[in-house]
Amino acid sequence: MEQPQIRSQVQEAAEAAVSRNATDLVALDVSGRLALTDAFLIVSGSSERNVSAIADAVDERLGSVGVPLKRREGRGSGHWELLDFGDVVVHVFLEEDRAYYGLERLWRDCPVIPIEERAAAS
């Protein structure tokens, strides 16, 4: 994945997530393993309400820069929300559920996409 617009989308999503107190941000380049998307951004929320607020903030931010949401799953569950923007998929987990599902373990052979410090500071 050498596409600047995807890195930009990941950065925008990360900044939006951090603005709602997301923690433990990890971005992965999955383009070599998946044909459906290029990047995952995985973040944690501290409560069910926080998970929803993070997902809403990411949706709003990417929409404001012209990246339409294609699909959103898990809305209202408060444990996990998936936001599919096509090139980038954002996973917002309640901390305990993230540890249980371990997406980072499943995709551990994928390269990490650096997130600029202004978003990563959480």
Side-chain angles (χ1 to χ4, degrees):
M1 178 196 81
E2 288 301 320
Q3 300 170 334
Q5 85 267 11
I6 294 169
R7 286 188 188 269
S8 175
Q9 289 175 22
V10 167
Q11 185 68 34
E12 290 284 346
E15 290 175 12
V18 166
S19 78
R20 295 297 183 261
N21 300 316
T23 59
D24 199 16
L25 284 74
V26 175
L28 301 172
D29 176 350
V30 296
S31 63
R33 301 232 355 244
L34 286 175
L36 300 174
T37 192
D38 290 312
F40 282 169
L41 175 64
I42 307 165
V43 306
S44 295
S46 59
S47 68
E48 292 179 11
R49 183 173 279 181
N50 186 225
V51 167
S52 293
I54 292 166
D56 289 344
V58 170
D59 184 11
E60 289 173 22
R61 172 72 76 87
L62 287 181
S64 75
V65 296
V67 183
L69 181 65
K70 296 182 181 296
R71 186 178 68 204
R72 183 168 176 171
E73 294 181 14
R75 181 178 232 158
S77 77
H79 289 266
W80 166 77
E81 290 201 32
L82 177 142
L83 294 97
D84 181 355
F85 295 96
D87 294 331
V88 176
V89 173
V90 180
H91 299 270
V92 184
F93 282 100
L94 192 60
E95 292 165 347
E96 300 82 31
D97 292 297
R98 180 173 176 176
Y100 177 78
Y101 288 105
L103 285 187
E104 291 95 332
R105 287 190 310 272
L106 291 173
W107 301 97
R108 69 177 166 257
D109 58 339
C110 294
V112 172
I113 300 169
I115 298 170
E116 289 184 31
E117 206 51 44
R118 65 181 188 254
S122 52

